[in-house]
Amino acid sequence: SESVDDRTPAERGRQSEDCEEDLAGNGKRRIYKSRYDCISTYIYQGMDQNGNGTMKNRVLNMYNDIPVPIEEESYKLLRESGVDPALSQHIAHLFIRDPLVIFDGAVEELDDDVQTEHFESIQSTNWQTVRWKPPPPRTSPNDPHIGWRTEFRSMEMQLTDFENAAFSVFIVLLTRTILSFDLNLYIPISRVDANMQRAHSRNASEKGKFFFRRHMAPLEEGDDGYGVKYSSMFARAVSPDDDSKTTYMRETDNEVDEKGVSKQRRKAPVAPGSDEENSYEEMSMKEIMTGKGDYFPGLIPLVRAYLDYVNCDDVAHAQITKYLDFIELRAVGKLVTPATWMRNFVRGHPSYKGDSVISQNIAYDLMMACKEIGEGTRHESDLLGDFKIDPISPRGAYDVKLEGRKVKNDDLMQLVRRYANRQSFTETRKHSVSEKAL
């Protein structure tokens, strides 16, 4: 983040009288985040699914709870052009910065009515955890149709193709699960920022706690827990015949004070001013991925349920199951992350003196070990468990060009004889001759 943080001292919030007129905002507008950081606002406003004007899982204003500086002129232009406030704010927020890269011949030469390079020069130098991408313009009817996209950009590159495929497939399936099951994972942006900071801590995936939404689907009884028993719709899936197991069915939790507020409501961590349905709490990565109590089913079980829902074919299901099993082992701490493995490698290196100094010898051995793991020639069970990586070779990496010239007769006969002399072909031919003799 610091390597691409080009904010001026004033933009960082420090006292400065300097004014740089060539910069956006004269280099004095307060900017709270680097170019390379978490998103600053949600832009989804919900959709009318019932045709009656109500929007299910609508993004509440309480979730956008951090300052979002904007370029006022850009915001005004967008609003006057009919763009909704949330999206106008998001785009105007991008334009508080200057572009880092401008290509020769792509400034005044561009036609902004049919080209988007000027917008992309701003968009593509804001490296946030999620990126909203409008369709690129089509210059002809034969151009491929590319729709609206959302990039999930926070994942780190793993050492092997298997790991990268596992996490990529999981993210895609999770998006499909959220859409199909109409799940709501929103928490305040300030808590998203806190999660990112916590994720940078050592061994955070195993020992860290992260804010996560308690209920991903609407509650079935009561909408705020005021003196009434209430439970998550997932509780019945976990314990359909025993209401006593439901977290919220404890008698003491239903006691109310003089204002009619239940004990459970008072002790539940919630977004400011929100009700239980929009509450969140701290969870471990194991709980987020595999479930907690009878109210939070976990992301991996939900993805597995989605695969059953769409009747995933057996071949794809088998491979996806390997990916989900691997991610689950990482989430529960049975397999270490690449960061932990690298730290352990350094600590166990004969040249390491325990002084936090990575010598050239240690760095070289570490890079060679990472290369061998990625190529499948070295297996680390604490990193990959029983999942074997097939060795990668540059041979056959490119498509073989289909030869069009005719084969000479002598070459053809030699190829046929070589095939005919194979053991399997010889046995088949002998069997065929013996059948004819009978």
Side-chain angles (χ1 to χ4, degrees), residues 51 63 285 318 322 412 425:
Y63 296 140
M285 188 55 60
K322 292 181 181 179
L412 176 61
F425 184 84

Side-chain angles (χ1 to χ4, degrees), residues 419-430:
Y419 175 75
N421 289 331
R422 289 182 180 177
Q423 184 68 24
S424 59
F425 184 84
T426 302
E427 292 177 355
T428 301
R429 185 171 56 184
K430 289 181 179 178

Side-chain angles (χ1 to χ4, degrees), residues 159-260:
L159 293 179
T160 66
D161 290 345
F162 174 82
E163 294 168 278
N164 288 319
F167 285 107
S168 298
V169 168
F170 176 74
I171 288 298
V172 172
L173 288 175
L174 182 58
T175 63
R176 302 301 187 272
T177 302
I178 293 171
L179 293 173
S180 294
F181 295 167
D182 192 26
L183 303 179
N184 186 346
L185 275 67
Y186 286 104
I187 61 174
I189 286 284
S190 61
R191 300 301 87 197
V192 176
D193 286 349
N195 284 345
M196 182 60 73
Q197 294 300 321
R198 295 182 178 193
H200 291 159
S201 302
R202 182 177 301 178
N203 208 19
S205 65
E206 182 179 359
K207 297 182 179 179
K209 291 282 189 176
F210 304 93
F211 294 103
F212 216 81
R213 190 180 181 93
R214 289 163 58 90
H215 306 293
M216 294 184 288
L219 298 176
E220 290 202 322
E221 283 189 66
D223 56 4
D224 61 3
Y226 275 64
V228 59
K229 293 183 178 181
Y230 58 101
S231 64
S232 164
M233 64 176 288
F234 290 116
R236 288 192 293 107
V238 176
S239 51
D241 299 323
D242 187 0
D243 287 342
S244 64
K245 295 180 181 179
T246 302
T247 303
Y248 307 120
M249 291 302 182
R250 293 191 293 256
E251 290 300 324
T252 56
D253 285 347
N254 292 316
E255 297 175 357
V256 297
D257 60 17
E258 65 279 2
K259 296 182 180 180

Side-chain angles (χ1 to χ4, degrees), residues 347-384:
R347 290 194 185 107
H349 195 280
S351 301
Y352 184 61
K353 300 178 182 180
D355 54 1
S356 299
V357 175
I358 309 299
S359 66
Q360 184 175 352
N361 183 36
I362 296 174
Y364 176 82
D365 289 346
L366 175 61
M367 292 299 99
M368 289 302 297
C370 291
K371 174 179 178 291
E372 292 165 359
I373 292 172
E375 292 178 344
T377 59
R378 174 176 182 152
H379 182 78
E380 295 288 341
S381 57
D382 55 344
L383 180 69
L384 298 169

